[in-house]
Amino acid sequence: MTTTGEDHATARGGPWWWTRWRSAVLDTGLAAGSAAECGAEGVRFAHDAGIPAAVGVVFGVLAGSALIVRRKWPIAVVLVSIAITPAQMGYLMGIVGLYTLAASELPRRIIGSLAGMSFLGMLIVMFVRVRQDMQRGTWELGDWFLPFASITTAVGMTAPPVLLGMYVGARRRLMESLRERADSLERELQLLAERAEERAEWARNEERTRIAREMHDVVAHRVSLMVVHAAALQAVARKDPEKAVKNAALVGDMGRQALTELREMLGVLRSGDGRDARERAAVPLVAVGVAAAAAASRAVDDEGTADGPCLSDVDELLGQSAAAGMAVDLSVEGDTRSYAAEIEQTAYRVVQEALTNVHKHAAGAKTHVRLAHRVSEIAMQVENEPPPELASASAARLPSGGNGLVGMRERVLALGGVFVSGPTDAGGFRVSAVIPAA
């Protein structure tokens, strides 16, 4: 992995302005070499200038030592090298200074200006020096050699370090850009991983809610009827043995139906719909939720068929509630027709859960179920009257988790419908839902 920007910034381990000790050692060595060169050339400069040799050596050493600050003040180093060019010293400092200047982050116009000044100074100095040597007879060449030697030396002393420094600087900036891009990508990947974890957690919560809703809708109705029949069985066991036997048979049938539905759903959740163990280990919780929904849709009805509930089963659903002692009637408006399986199952579950709530909270109350088949929607309403006082006092106490109305609302809203529930003015309770038929 790449080093992040903060880690890179805090990795400074060198003295003063150096980021590393290796850089400090390199600059110190270059400065020592430059000081030695300028000190040696200072002897000839002192002789030509008519000053003591010691003064020339000290001047050369001091000027050459300026190379030690090349990383912090590259402009100053280049200016010093240009200034001592007429003294014919500081060649190493000029080359290293131009390289450092070109590799820095300074604007190109400053780099070009200083490189041009260094080129011009070197050109003039070499022109004068070669001309003096030719006049003294040291070199016996044609007139073409003077400009050739001057231009070649000036170009050789300025162009290579500038070009090399520009290349190294561009490469360094590219590496920094790639490092920053890698750091940014790493941060983005970390954020994406966190968001993916959040989405996975949200999906798990959604599927847990969905599984709980499916299991509640499949089992709660039949279990509620079982409790109602058990309470009636307890009340008539001694007075009417035949009715007690009938109620006991109903309790047994409903218990077997509830166990069959629950067994099928749990079997799908455990087996992953028949896949082998290795595939089940890789199944996410989302697939489990889908399996639960499929199991609920395939829950067996009273006759043992494997089709999901639909509107045609509402009559049988009302018959079960009537057998449990509920006075319930059904009215249908509009022409009966078939809908998508998801719509019919949702409508069936709404009526089923509403009747279950009547058994729980208003035992003995008369209940009206209305279905309306409209052009582009299907509407359903389950309304119960206030329960009689005697029935309320003797009603079986059924536990309530408060999930029924929430589950109905979630089912209807998931299909783009409207769900309303609440008490009536007469003291009963009404559940209404409208589901688009498309």
Side-chain angles (χ1 to χ4, degrees), residues 337 374-378 435-438:
R337 63 182 189 274
R374 299 168 184 169
V375 177
S376 59
E377 61 188 16
I378 176 175
I435 304 175

Side-chain angles (χ1 to χ4, degrees), residues 216-225 317 320-321 352 355-356:
H216 176 273
D217 292 343
V218 168
V219 180
H221 177 71
R222 300 193 187 279
V223 174
S224 299
L225 292 180
L317 182 66
Q320 295 175 356
S321 296
Q352 182 188 55
L355 293 177
T356 301

Side-chain angles (χ1 to χ4, degrees), residues 62-366:
L62 292 177
S65 300
L67 192 59
I68 198 171
V69 296
R70 68 182 185 96
R71 297 180 188 268
K72 189 172 182 62
W73 295 301
I75 297 179
V77 173
V78 175
L79 290 176
V80 171
S81 67
I82 294 174
I84 63 175
T85 298
Q88 300 181 8
M89 63 174 62
Y91 297 109
L92 176 61
M93 182 170 60
I95 294 174
V96 177
L98 287 176
Y99 164 80
T100 307
L101 178 69
S104 65
E105 302 291 337
L106 293 172
R108 293 293 180 85
R109 62 178 183 275
I110 297 178
I111 297 175
S113 300
L114 293 177
M117 293 172 58
S118 179
F119 172 81
L120 184 59
M122 184 62 64
L123 178 65
I124 295 174
V125 170
M126 290 305 300
F127 183 86
V128 173
R129 181 175 179 180
V130 173
R131 185 177 181 180
Q132 290 176 352
D133 292 339
M134 292 180 66
Q135 289 178 354
R136 288 196 298 264
T138 305
W139 294 342
E140 295 181 359
L141 298 171
D143 295 337
W144 61 271
F145 183 75
L146 179 61
F148 173 77
S150 303
I151 295 175
T152 303
T153 305
V155 171
M157 294 291 291
T158 56
V162 171
L163 295 178
L164 181 61
M166 293 179 66
Y167 166 75
V168 173
R171 184 174 179 274
R172 182 186 301 134
R173 287 188 291 271
L174 176 61
M175 295 301 295
E176 291 177 356
S177 175
L178 293 177
R179 184 184 295 110
E180 292 177 358
R181 188 175 302 177
D183 294 342
S184 177
L185 180 60
E186 186 177 357
R187 289 191 294 269
E188 291 179 2
L189 290 176
Q190 185 176 0
L191 291 176
L192 289 176
E194 293 176 357
R195 293 178 181 176
E197 182 65 25
E198 293 176 358
R199 287 195 296 268
E201 183 64 25
W202 176 84
R204 286 192 290 268
N205 293 334
E206 287 293 318
E207 291 309 317
R208 290 191 187 99
T209 303
R210 185 177 180 180
I211 293 172
R213 182 173 65 245
E214 297 293 344
M215 296 187 69
H216 176 273
D217 292 343
V218 168
V219 180
H221 177 71
R222 300 193 187 279
V223 174
S224 299
L225 292 180
M226 289 172 59
V227 175
V228 172
H229 281 292
L233 176 62
Q234 183 180 7
V236 302
R238 296 181 179 179
K239 299 179 181 179
D240 192 349
E242 294 182 0
K243 189 174 182 180
V245 171
K246 183 179 179 180
N247 287 340
L250 289 174
V251 170
D253 292 340
M254 292 181 181
R256 283 187 291 272
Q257 294 168 5
L259 287 175
T260 301
E261 294 174 351
L262 182 60
R263 187 181 300 113
E264 179 176 349
M265 177 176 292
L266 294 179
V268 172
L269 293 177
R270 288 177 178 175
S271 65
D273 221 3
R275 288 170 290 195
D276 58 24
R278 286 178 297 180
E279 290 178 342
R280 291 198 304 269
V283 173
L285 189 57
V286 176
V288 176
V290 175
S297 300
R298 295 194 304 270
V300 295
D301 57 13
D302 295 340
E303 298 178 358
T305 60
D307 297 330
C310 57
L311 289 175
S312 61
D313 300 329
V314 171
D315 291 333
E316 186 175 359
L317 182 66
L318 269 61
Q320 295 175 356
S321 296
M326 177 187 294
V328 57
D329 60 59
L330 172 66
S331 63
V332 181
E333 301 177 4
D335 298 331
T336 303
R337 63 182 189 274
S338 60
Y339 301 91
E342 191 175 14
I343 296 176
E344 294 209 5
Q345 292 170 14
T346 300
Y348 178 90
R349 294 301 185 194
V350 170
V351 176
Q352 182 188 55
E353 181 60 28
L355 293 177
T356 301
N357 288 340
V358 175
H359 283 294
K360 289 182 179 180
H361 308 292
K366 187 174 182 179

